[in-house]
Amino acid sequence: ATGLPKGRWFLQWTEGVSGKRQVRGQLLDRDLAAAGDALRLSPESANSGQGVVWAEGDRVISMFLVSTGKTHELWAQSLSCR
């Protein structure tokens, strides 16, 4: 999780079964209630996880690993949380 202006938060997690995990994220308001729908951040068909988030103002960078067979790639998503 990372803090945002106006008391808001961005929460990131990994969910799914082994070999089919996805990275998801959710904007939370100052009362920690969901502010909108959860987002799928990783590719739908890829096995992903081990994420971390970083914020600067209203911008969030989500970074996570995507399995490419025997190795992993570092992927990132940039989000505007206004």
Side-chain angles (χ1 to χ4, degrees):
T2 188
L4 297 167
K6 302 176 189 168
R8 299 171 305 148
W9 292 86
F10 187 82
L11 177 66
Q12 178 174 292
W13 69 94
T14 301
E15 66 182 27
V17 297
S18 180
K20 296 185 179 184
R21 301 201 195 290
Q22 290 188 346
V23 177
R24 298 185 52 88
Q26 175 72 58
L27 182 62
L28 304 174
D29 66 19
R30 65 175 41 253
D31 297 319
L32 302 180
D37 296 330
L39 305 169
R40 182 179 43 79
L41 301 171
S42 60
E44 187 172 357
S45 61
N47 183 32
S48 307
Q50 301 296 323
V52 65
V53 290
W54 177 79
E56 178 69 33
D58 287 334
R59 305 283 305 166
V60 171
I61 301 292
S62 164
M63 294 170 274
F64 49 88
L65 295 176
V66 175
S67 176
T68 59
K70 293 185 179 183
T71 63
H72 292 83
E73 295 177 348
L74 177 62
W75 284 42
Q77 287 275 6
S78 175
L79 303 150
S80 177
C81 300
R82 295 182 182 195

